Amino acid sequence: MERIYDDVLHEEVYVNSYTNGLKAFVIKKKNFSKAFAGYATKYGSVDSKFIHPKTNEIVEVPDGIAHFLEHKLFEEQEGNVFDRFAKFGAMANAFTSFKETVYYFISTQNFYENFEILLDFVQNPYFTDQNVEKEKGIIAQEIRMYQDNPNWRVYFNLLNALYVEHPVKIDIAGTLDSIQKITKDDLYLCYNTFYHPSNMIIVVCGDVDPQKVFDMIEKMEKTKEYQSLIERIYPEEPDRVNQKRIEVKLSISTPIFYIGFKDHLNDLPPYEMIMKDIETQILAEILFGKSTDFYEQLYKEGLINQNFGFEYNCEPDYSFFMIGGESKDPDQVYQRVLEHIENVKNNGIEKNEFERAKKVVLGNHLRKFDNPEKLSVEFIYSYFKGINIFEYVKEINSVSYESCQNRLKNFFEEDKSCISIVWPIQ
């Protein structure tokens, strides 16, 4: 067991590595009443084509398997895992993203009993032809439900507009056609490949005993033979956007929209990815933050409301920025956004605005450390990118005015932008 202490954040982290390749982390939070534990695999919805680590053969499986596995692992031969957690007062759940699947619980009592359940069920899949077929109907219903969800629809329509080939454009749950192709053998193949300990981590955050946590993992972790790194295969993605505009009509009262900017595609090392992420966050705050004149003007004109916001997603194989919310005239907002960006590019960033935005980004990051769930999930995301979340403070402080100016010049290009709109049904 290794103890790491961060002198800047005054955070204490314990790390333990296991012979089967698993790594476990305990973020010690003294006097916190709530504890979080997550069991995560570096496996998400975009990982449908890969080289099998044992046979070296290219494998391609139907879209939606990562999400399908997330559903099925909660089902046991004796019943439902949620009932076991409920017995000890924990709130358990899971989520599948583009790159990760995370199983977790949050509790204020009986932590070790709940932790034992987490370690047990994630390592014991139970798939049959019958329960797989039954699950297809449940997930199909979920897919249809999300197709009628305006926020979900405007988001994935934007990704479909941004991306030509990359599977990030495909719904995390897959499609109605793709899930029908999933078999029990597919699930076991992907489980045995991506749920190998060498592709997983365990993160615990709370006032717990690190040694006891690591001893429980040692006792319950299954021994598996060595597995080499899994090589994912993604299609070649052009720099251009797929389409400039995509719109649908749903049962809503006010139009909702997202404006997207496709980032330059390159396989960046972790440090460069950190800097790219931080610089973009600072620029977003300078350009569109709630304290800017731009936001205030659009708000006064009734073109946006308090739901207006932005986010940046940065991965080695795809990156995009999105901004949006509700508006009576999304097209006018789109035009104003493009004009505003060009104006700032031509005139440059004001240094006092740069310093203000940098403080906002730092404050947003530091607030995560007060929430065990947010901190742990952010830790998982960062770890799988090869990034240490505790280095962010140092890197935020090191970002220069000049580097943000350069980032602005090379990003937010009109020809790499598009808009997704959901209109009310008239």
Side-chain angles (χ1 to χ4, degrees), residues 207-223:
D207 192 359
V208 299
D209 180 349
Q211 190 61 60
K212 186 170 182 179
V213 167
F214 296 145
D215 288 346
M216 287 180 69
I217 296 171
E218 183 77 53
K219 181 181 177 182
M220 296 192 66
E221 189 66 25
K222 291 186 175 180
T223 302

Side-chain angles (χ1 to χ4, degrees), residues 71 73-86 117:
H71 272 233
L73 277 190
F74 280 100
E75 184 175 341
E76 301 177 303
Q77 192 166 4
E78 299 80 17
N80 192 299
V81 176
F82 290 110
D83 295 335
R84 295 169 64 189
F85 280 111
I117 296 169

